[in-house]
Structures are given as C-alpha cells and as structure tokens.
Amino acid sequence: MKLSLARDVTLTPIDTGAVLLDGSRGRYWQLNESGSKILSKLLEGESPAMTAVSLSAAAPVTEVQAQQDVMALIDALSAAKLVEVSQ
C-alpha cells in the first residue's frame, strides 16, 4: 500500500502535530503528534504494519491496537479526500 497526499493538499508541521490544508475545498484537518508521525511514516513509504510496530514501540499501546489506529487514520484521511491510497 502506498499513500500520497491528494492533489491540492499540503501538510504543514506545527508544534502539536500537523495541519493538512485542502486548497481546493478550503478545509483543513489538524493532526495530533501521533497522527502526524503516523502520516509522515506512511508518506515516506513505510507500510501500515511497520508503522504500527513503530507506534507500539514508542507508546503504551499494543501492536494490534496500533494497527487498528493506523488503518483508522488512513480510512479517515482517505474518506476526507486528503490522501490517495494505491497498491
């Protein structure tokens, strides 16, 4: 699975995470620090499974829960048309 930002979407790091701005719709999403780290790893080409392993190693969360969290973020960003998912 490969993740990329959708057309007209920009990612801006901030002190508490990141902001995704959809320039074509004039909407934005704010991600907390965990969400920002997850998205950055995925955009760098890391697989969701490896991202979940990294998350569970850095936070008090099981690998199963981390995998669910990673997939939930992908699903939410995809549904909002902020990212594009390809195989």
Side-chain angles (χ1 to χ4, degrees), residues 4-83:
S4 60
L5 292 177
R7 186 173 177 227
D8 297 324
V9 173
T10 57
L11 176 66
T12 303
I14 59 174
D15 289 341
T16 58
V19 173
L20 288 160
L21 173 63
D22 182 343
S24 65
R25 292 181 182 85
R27 295 177 19 190
Y28 72 92
W29 273 50
Q30 186 169 351
L31 298 175
N32 63 17
E33 190 173 345
S34 295
S36 175
K37 286 180 182 179
I38 291 168
L39 180 57
S40 293
K41 287 180 177 293
L42 294 169
L43 291 173
E44 291 170 0
E46 193 169 285
S47 71
M50 288 306 300
T51 301
V53 169
S54 298
L55 180 61
S56 67
V61 63
T62 66
E63 195 171 317
V64 171
Q65 183 62 54
Q67 180 71 33
Q68 291 171 348
D69 292 346
V70 169
M71 295 311 296
L73 181 62
I74 292 170
D75 291 344
L77 294 175
S78 180
K81 298 183 175 149
L82 296 170
V83 297

